Amino acid sequence: MATLLPVSFKMAVPKEKDFMPLLASCRILVVGAGGIGCELLKNLVLTGFEDIEVIDLDTIDVSNLNRQFLFQKCHVGRSKAEVAKESALRFNPKAKIVAHHDSVLKPKYGVPFFKEFTMVMNALDNQAARNHVNRLCLASDVPLVESGTAGYLGQVTVIKKGLTECYECQPKAAQKTYPGCTIRNTPSEPIHCIVWAKHLFNQLFGEADPDEDVSPDSADPELVGQAGKSALDSSEAQSKASTTQDNESASNGNVLRVSTRAWASSHDYCPKKLFTKLFSEDILYLLSMEKLWENRRRPTPLTWEEAGTIDEEKEAENDKGGIADQRLWSVKECQEIFSSAVHIIRKRLTGEVTELVWDKDDESSMDFVCACANLRAHIFGIQRKTRFDVKSMAGNIIPAIATTNAVIAGLIVLEGLKVLAGEFGAARTTYLNRRPNPRRRLLVPCALDPPRPQCLVCAPRPRLALKLPVALTSVGALKDKVLRGALAMAAPDVEVVDGKGTILISSEEGETQENNGKMLKEFNIVDGTQLNCDDFLQNYNILVDIIDCDQLKDGAEFEVIGDPEQLKKEQEEQAKEQDKKEEEQTSSSSTSAATAAASLLPPTAVVEDDDDLVCLDDVIVKKRKVEEGEEREEEPPLKKARSGGKTEEEEEIMVLE
């Protein structure tokens, strides 16, 4: 449960005549120029902030225009950071804004860069970047105002080293919202490809949603490939397009808009034609957008013929044993499964059934999404996933709401003013709810929590336990899945604490490349071995205790236990379960009468050790506090775990992702 910040955190507020020059002179870094970022940049220049730098890697997509109001149709394809700067300067020409069309994850935006700023304001849309900025702000001791939205829900909080929780103090659920332009144009993670494949299923067989269009900014899905080829080879594309009905309409000044489903239906859902459009022609169209790939890896178009020859040598190896769903499909297998799934699902569309709903438990639907996601991942150089992983990762997509972004951006500036005045004691974590709570409040402010002692990032000496099978886990898996994936490190270096200074992983390119395929056991890493993991970019260090474990829950490859107390509790629970089994075996050999009597006892009478565990409803807790004189009406509500008896309105608190 959260506690109020000590009074000593409060500082003197500058007088109004001194405050405006302070606004003009302080340096603000805004990370992200999307939905929240556009509103935030506008608010900052109108409030009086004049020295601002903004970083964003993305370019403007047509789908951004309904909520990112600093952009117009003429800006499509340009850098978000550059256009946001130009538009914001119209509100306050005196402001000095520097735009960076770049990724904040790059080494040049390290601790020295962050130390140049008075405050950092996050307007990001992904957890990896949030983790990175959080660590850099802690390392540079610069206050951070963090924010996030999900549909009608939103949250703003303040992070200050040593005074408040950092972004990673509380575990975060897997992110489930993704920008549409990222899904269509620039996927960078497996989940982006999975979401795209689900959208494609709806476009072909279900209820089509314009916001879920899988084609990259094209009115006619059949001509998207021709548009890309036109950019690459205009003469060839024009000769092909001139024979189509669409060009006849275009010559009259009209655009014949054809839905993805109508186009597929007109070609009788031919798998080869669908494959060519989705994985070759659409990719060629994306490649024609040169600015999109200035700082990104370019995708590689995949033709029907090429797919049939890729990974043929690996198929025999993949077929060896194991559960079918946990075996990684080759590109050729994805092509074959895609073709088969299209034929099966197509037959379900009859006169009575015109729309299908995707169901992860339907074999053909799941095969379609898995095959399409992996084919797209192969094209963009993203790690492919097994059918089991795809099924686990598939989730709902929450739309972005312009009003939510506007409210949250306003709250960011209000919290920023408190930070600038040194009033950390007055700063709050504020939640925006979907509907008013019983007190008729949409905005719920809560006191900031102090740093969590067991945090893996902001604790004085971060330490964790890592369960994995050392004989089956490679160094490459440790680097990619644990350090870069679970721990969000950018450039990890790992040294085995063995007194010899053995370097397991180096951030220097190629220095330890030969280790990636070797198993941890080959480096004498056993149960109890310690690894010193360091990230020089994030100025972050953590000690990892290895626990050799052959079998993990739910078939997981590894398990990170951040709190040593949690591991201790788990071990105690396992010991109790073992003792309980032994007691049951002993009692079974007793007399039948005693056994019968014991079987009539209620469960709570058997486990005496748990009798001191009492769960109190929040109402009872509040009543006790009032009786003890602890309840103070003037204090803001505290963040706390919600009990099962709360109403739906009271549970509308969103945990920032």
Side-chain angles (χ1 to χ4, degrees):
M1 183 177 291
T3 56
L4 289 176
L5 295 177
V7 177
S8 59
F9 285 0
K10 293 188 176 182
M11 298 180 178
V13 181
K15 296 180 180 180
E16 185 175 354
K17 64 178 182 179
D18 300 324
F19 199 68
M20 292 309 294
L22 187 61
L23 287 178
S25 61
C26 71
R27 300 197 66 199
I28 304 296
L29 174 63
V30 176
V31 187
I36 298 176
C38 281
E39 293 286 344
L40 175 58
L41 205 57
K42 177 257 296 180
N43 290 347
L44 287 173
V45 295
L46 289 177
T47 304
F49 291 92
E50 295 183 2
D51 194 349
I52 305 167
E53 294 196 25
V54 57
I55 303 178
D56 197 298
L57 175 63
D58 284 340
T59 53
I60 299 167
D61 181 75
V62 173
S63 62
N64 302 146
L65 304 182
N66 70 333
R67 63 190 181 280
Q68 299 175 19
F69 301 123
L70 295 185
F71 309 145
Q72 300 177 13
K73 190 174 181 179
C74 60
H75 297 140
V76 171
R78 291 186 59 193
S79 162
K80 284 186 176 181
E82 291 288 349
V83 176
K85 166 192 170 181
E86 295 171 5
S87 300
L89 286 174
R90 295 175 186 170
F91 292 99
N92 183 1
K94 295 190 300 181
K96 174 189 172 185
I97 303 177
V98 178
H100 303 273
H101 177 53
D102 213 344
S103 170
V104 72
L105 301 177
K106 286 191 174 181
K108 64 180 180 180
Y109 303 112
V111 174
F113 176 78
F114 273 69
K115 282 185 176 180
E116 297 175 3
F117 298 95
T118 310
M119 183 177 3
V120 178
M121 296 180 173
N122 262 357
L124 290 162
D125 60 4
N126 69 89
Q127 190 168 316
R130 284 191 174 107
N131 289 340
H132 187 73
V133 173
N134 173 63
R135 296 178 187 188
L136 288 175
C137 286
L138 291 173
S140 56
D141 198 13
V142 174
L144 169 64
V145 184
E146 181 60 82
S147 66
T149 61
Y152 294 100
L153 303 177
Q155 177 183 349
V156 175
T157 191
V158 174
I159 297 171
K160 173 63 176 171
K161 182 179 180 180
L163 302 186
T164 72
E165 278 188 340
C166 77
Y167 175 73
E168 297 173 80
C169 272
Q170 298 297 335
K172 302 296 187 298
Q175 183 175 338
K176 295 183 180 180
T177 58
Y178 308 96
C181 52
T182 300
I183 300 301
R184 286 192 299 275
N185 297 346
T186 56
S188 58
E189 300 174 13
I191 187 63
H192 296 158
C193 300
I194 294 170
V195 171
W196 177 87
K198 287 185 64 181
H199 288 179
L200 176 61
F201 180 94
N202 291 333
Q203 293 289 322
L204 291 174
F205 311 111
E207 182 179 1
D209 184 341
D211 291 334
E212 295 182 355
D213 188 12
V214 296
S215 298
D217 304 333
S218 174
D220 184 348
E222 184 175 15
L223 287 183
V224 64
Q226 298 294 346
K229 292 178 182 179
S230 177
L232 302 174
D233 189 352
S234 58
S235 60
E236 180 182 351
Q238 288 174 1
S239 65
K240 291 182 179 180
S242 62
T243 62
T244 65
Q245 179 182 356
D246 304 275
N247 263 3
E248 293 176 3
S249 299
S251 65
N252 295 327
N254 300 319
V255 175
L256 181 61
R257 297 185 181 275
V258 181
S259 69
T260 302
R261 183 168 181 176
W263 179 86
S265 181
S266 68
H267 290 81
D268 198 26
Y269 284 86
C270 173
K272 183 176 181 180
K273 291 185 178 180
L274 280 173
F275 189 101
T276 301
K277 171 197 155 10
L278 297 168
F279 304 115
S280 179
E281 293 181 350
D282 280 6
I283 306 305
L284 286 172
Y285 181 88
L286 285 174
L287 287 171
S288 70
M289 305 177 189
E290 293 295 337
K291 290 185 178 180
L292 207 59
W293 313 110
E294 289 179 354
N295 296 292
R296 292 184 176 92
R297 178 190 182 279
R298 297 170 69 89
T300 304
L302 181 65
T303 66
W304 177 267
E305 292 74 21
E306 290 172 343
T309 61
I310 295 178
D311 288 352
E312 287 183 338
E313 297 179 357
K314 297 182 180 180
E315 287 181 1
E317 181 180 343
N318 286 339
D319 286 336
K320 293 181 180 178
I323 301 174
D325 278 6
Q326 294 185 349
R327 185 177 60 82
L328 191 65
W329 296 345
S330 69
V331 174
K332 182 178 180 180
E333 285 178 298
C334 290
Q335 179 197 43
E336 294 170 349
I337 293 170
F338 168 81
S339 179
S340 175
V342 169
H343 280 305
I344 294 172
I345 300 172
R346 170 69 178 88
K347 293 178 181 178
R348 298 178 189 170
L349 295 175
T350 62
E352 297 180 357
V353 181
T354 59
E355 293 178 350
L356 301 177
V357 178
W358 184 79
D359 184 0
K360 62 180 172 52
D361 296 320
D362 178 75
E363 185 174 355
S364 299
S365 300
M366 189 63 237
D367 284 347
F368 176 86
V369 168
C370 183
C372 290
N374 278 330
L375 287 168
R376 188 167 175 85
H378 171 79
I379 289 168
F380 283 87
I382 301 170
Q383 180 185 9
R384 286 175 285 151
K385 292 291 183 179
T386 64
R387 191 179 188 277
F388 176 86
D389 290 333
V390 173
K391 188 174 183 179
S392 301
M393 294 171 70
N396 296 324
I397 306 304
I398 303 173
I401 307 297
T403 308
T404 307
N405 292 336
V407 173
I408 293 302
L411 290 172
I412 293 173
V413 175
L414 290 178
E415 295 302 324
L417 293 175
K418 297 175 188 176
V419 171
L420 193 60
E423 282 283 351
F424 289 100
R428 296 287 179 261
T429 293
T430 304
Y431 299 95
L432 173 62
N433 294 338
R434 183 180 288 108
R435 58 181 65 88
N437 65 8
R439 295 185 178 183
R440 298 183 179 181
R441 292 181 179 177
L442 275 175
L443 295 174
V444 182
C446 301
L448 298 176
D449 284 323
R452 182 168 167 263
Q454 297 83 15
C455 178
L456 298 180
V457 176
C458 67
R461 299 180 66 182
R463 183 173 181 175
L464 63 82
L466 177 63
K467 282 186 177 181
L468 47 71
V470 295
L472 302 176
T473 304
S474 67
V475 174
L478 175 68
K479 178 175 67 174
D480 295 333
K481 296 183 178 181
V482 179
L483 301 179
R484 288 181 174 171
L487 299 183
M489 286 182 151
D493 291 283
V494 179
E495 178 184 351
V496 183
V497 184
D498 56 1
K500 302 176 183 178
T502 303
I503 303 299
L504 193 66
I505 298 172
S506 173
S507 57
E508 294 292 334
E509 187 175 355
E511 190 170 306
T512 56
Q513 186 72 27
E514 67 279 1
N515 293 349
N516 289 342
K518 298 179 181 179
M519 300 299 154
L520 297 180
K521 191 174 182 179
E522 298 180 43
F523 294 88
N524 296 321
I525 295 176
V526 296
D527 188 74
T529 299
Q530 291 185 326
L531 304 178
N532 187 23
C533 305
D534 180 78
D535 190 325
F536 77 94
L537 290 180
Q538 300 175 347
N539 195 20
Y540 173 55
N541 181 273
I542 187 168
L543 186 65
V544 176
D545 295 299
I546 297 295
I547 300 176
D548 188 11
C549 183
D550 293 332
Q551 294 183 348
L552 296 170
K553 296 178 182 178
D554 301 324
E557 296 181 56
F558 63 90
E559 181 181 355
V560 175
I561 303 176
D563 189 348
E565 293 299 322
Q566 179 185 345
L567 178 60
K568 184 179 178 181
K569 289 179 181 178
E570 287 184 2
Q571 293 172 339
E572 290 175 352
E573 289 174 1
Q574 291 175 359
K576 285 183 180 180
E577 289 178 3
Q578 184 64 29
D579 292 341
K580 186 177 178 180
K581 289 179 181 178
E582 293 177 358
E583 289 178 4
E584 289 176 351
Q585 292 174 357
T586 304
S587 62
S588 63
S589 62
S590 304
T591 62
S592 58
T595 305
S599 64
L600 296 175
L601 291 174
T604 53
V606 178
V607 189
E608 296 180 357
D609 291 342
D610 291 340
D611 286 347
D612 59 339
L613 299 178
V614 182
C615 294
L616 296 178
D617 187 273
D618 285 357
V619 176
I620 300 175
V621 174
K622 184 175 181 180
K623 183 177 180 181
R624 287 191 177 184
K625 284 187 175 182
V626 172
E627 292 174 353
E628 296 170 5
E630 295 179 2
E631 184 78 0
R632 297 179 178 86
E633 287 297 324
E634 67 274 17
E635 293 179 349
L638 306 178
K639 291 184 285 183
K640 55 187 176 183
R642 300 273 171 167
S643 65
K646 288 295 180 182
T647 63
E648 182 180 356
E649 287 80 0
E650 289 176 300
E651 293 179 346
E652 291 293 348
I653 296 296
M654 182 195 73
V655 177
L656 180 65
E657 296 182 357

